[in-house]
Amino acid sequence: MRRILLLWLIAILPLSGCNYHNELKNLQLIYATSLDMNDKNEIVTTVTIQTPGGKERSAPVHEVLSATGPTLQESLFKKIGMQIAGPIGTSKNQVMLIGEKLARKDLTEILDSTFRNSNDPMLAKVAIVRGNASGLIRLDRIGSATAGEYLRKILKSAKYETAIPSVTLHSLYPVLHDQGRDSVIPLISRLKDKAVVDGVALMNQRKYTGYFLTPEQSSLFLLMSGLKGNICVITRNMEESGSKNDPSQYLSLNILKLKRNKHVWVDAEGQIRVQLHLKMKASVVEYTKDDLADKQKIIQLNKHFSELLTHEAQDICKLLLRSRSDAFGIGRDIMAFYPNEWKRMNWETVYPETDFQVSTEVDIVSHGIIN
């Protein structure tokens, strides 16, 4: 009896292995996904799929497919799944792009199936796209890269240069469920045949507010959040008058070190107050005037650059209050240190009245080998 059973196992194992091999061979791998909303309030899912190359072809085949449905699950797995020959594989998905119209809806409801699926790559980059997100998915391949690989590299490069934060499905999920903090999501757009980083989109209660920070504001916002990338070059016009196209009026600094102090408290009248101070050490990247050997000139540049950044930081705080986006996590601080006051607060009405006191201090410590 045991001998018969052993012979049966030997006969069936190669068959199951063969089926598994055939299943992998026919797997349709998704490398990028975009979500939009049409006029019927349906979700329009667009994906770029890579079919592995076989004996008949040396290179993989790339295809862009699109379908609509009331949910992501319906449009992707049922409708797009019926357009291809083979099972869909999401393990290689590199970016999740969301059109700005759809982003104004609750993102937890839109991405629910993605968060629940253990096979979906939670490290896929997330970005909101001006207009329709499918336009970026349909970009022609850049060199040998797929659209997903190209878009991921664009977002990774912008994070490296302190232009945007790194937002993945994994990092986004807990923030969307945090009552004391709102997320910011990279904002990008299509310009001809390129992807362009436009800054960050400000969120409130899991929805895009329609307000955003420009790339220049986004870099300063990240510094105010204590998040400095590998490189952070800030260029500002140091002259109050004159031509904006005159390069001699501009000073470019690379932020070398950052020290951030944030203090949040509730005063006796129930007013929320925030003190935020940045202290930065920087090196001169570009400055055409040959007077940096003068210590008094360095002091003047430090003072003027600090004043410019302080004014811009105050404008960023005003925009956050106007959009009701608690991107600095002030609510989280109140919950932690003033739990009784937090329970009595209506955060949606209290937060816009927050008093921000912001200051920056720039210290130029190096100006290169040119005096």
Side-chain angles (χ1 to χ4, degrees), residues 6-228:
L6 181 61
L7 291 174
W8 180 80
L9 289 174
I10 293 174
I12 196 172
L13 282 175
L15 293 177
S16 61
C18 182
N19 290 336
Y20 179 71
H21 176 75
N22 289 334
E23 190 171 314
L24 288 177
K25 182 179 179 181
N26 296 325
L27 194 64
Q28 309 295 302
L29 298 174
I30 293 177
Y31 276 75
T33 305
S34 71
L35 305 176
D36 292 298
M37 177 178 285
N38 61 17
D39 296 336
K40 297 180 181 180
N41 292 330
E42 296 175 314
I43 293 179
V44 181
T45 303
T46 305
V47 298
T48 174
I49 291 180
Q50 176 175 309
T51 304
K55 295 181 179 179
E56 297 81 9
R57 53 179 182 268
S58 57
V61 175
H62 301 273
E63 187 177 8
V64 177
L65 299 173
S66 183
T68 63
T71 66
L72 171 59
Q73 179 77 11
E74 177 76 12
S75 58
L76 177 58
F77 287 98
K78 293 196 71 174
K79 294 190 175 181
I80 291 182
M82 294 174 65
Q83 301 178 38
I84 58 178
I88 291 178
T90 59
S91 61
K92 295 295 184 180
N93 189 34
Q94 301 186 59
V95 293
M96 177 69 75
L97 305 182
I98 306 171
E100 59 180 339
K101 182 179 178 181
L102 183 62
R104 293 175 182 267
K105 303 293 183 180
D106 191 327
L107 292 189
T108 58
E109 295 179 357
I110 297 167
L111 299 175
D112 182 77
S113 64
T114 298
F115 292 139
R116 292 179 185 275
N117 187 355
S118 61
N119 292 325
D120 279 6
M122 296 302 286
L123 294 181
K125 299 288 187 181
V126 180
I128 292 176
V129 181
R130 291 180 183 273
N132 289 327
S134 63
L136 284 173
I137 295 293
R138 298 181 184 280
L139 277 173
D140 292 334
R141 291 171 57 192
I142 310 300
S144 60
T146 64
E149 292 169 341
Y150 166 69
L151 293 168
R152 183 180 179 85
K153 289 178 181 178
I154 289 290
L155 295 172
K156 187 176 181 180
S157 176
K159 184 264 181 184
Y160 182 90
E161 298 179 1
T162 321
I164 58 173
S166 176
V167 179
T168 63
L169 289 169
H170 179 269
S171 65
L172 180 63
Y173 180 81
V175 182
L176 291 178
H177 290 82
D178 191 341
Q179 294 181 347
R181 181 171 47 142
D182 289 317
S183 59
V184 295
I185 299 178
L187 182 67
I188 61 178
S189 63
R190 177 173 178 171
L191 181 62
K192 296 182 179 179
D193 59 345
K194 301 287 185 180
V196 179
V197 175
D198 291 333
V200 295
L202 301 178
M203 308 292 290
N204 170 251
Q205 291 191 344
R206 310 172 182 177
K207 300 178 182 179
Y208 175 39
T209 63
Y211 291 90
F212 64 93
L213 299 177
T214 66
E216 292 77 15
Q217 290 176 318
S218 177
S219 292
L220 182 54
F221 164 78
L222 291 175
L223 294 178
M224 295 167 68
S225 302
L227 302 173
K228 188 183 83 69

Side-chain angles (χ1 to χ4, degrees), residues 202-269:
L202 301 178
M203 308 292 290
N204 170 251
Q205 291 191 344
R206 310 172 182 177
K207 300 178 182 179
Y208 175 39
T209 63
Y211 291 90
F212 64 93
L213 299 177
T214 66
E216 292 77 15
Q217 290 176 318
S218 177
S219 292
L220 182 54
F221 164 78
L222 291 175
L223 294 178
M224 295 167 68
S225 302
L227 302 173
K228 188 183 83 69
N230 299 70
I231 298 174
C232 183
V233 177
I234 301 177
T235 302
R236 294 295 184 268
N237 190 336
M238 303 298 289
E239 302 294 336
E240 297 181 357
S241 59
S243 173
K244 293 183 178 181
N245 296 324
D246 185 356
S248 66
Q249 297 184 175
Y250 288 85
L251 171 63
S252 295
L253 297 180
N254 180 29
I255 306 302
L256 302 175
K257 293 184 179 181
L258 170 68
K259 185 177 181 181
R260 168 184 178 261
N261 290 318
K262 185 180 75 166
H263 179 47
V264 180
W265 76 98
V266 181
D267 64 17
E269 288 74 30

Side-chain angles (χ1 to χ4, degrees), residues 348-364:
E348 281 299 298
T349 59
V350 172
Y351 172 69
E353 303 300 325
T354 299
D355 178 31
F356 277 96
Q357 302 169 23
V358 188
S359 60
T360 67
E361 180 183 348
V362 177
D363 182 17
I364 297 176

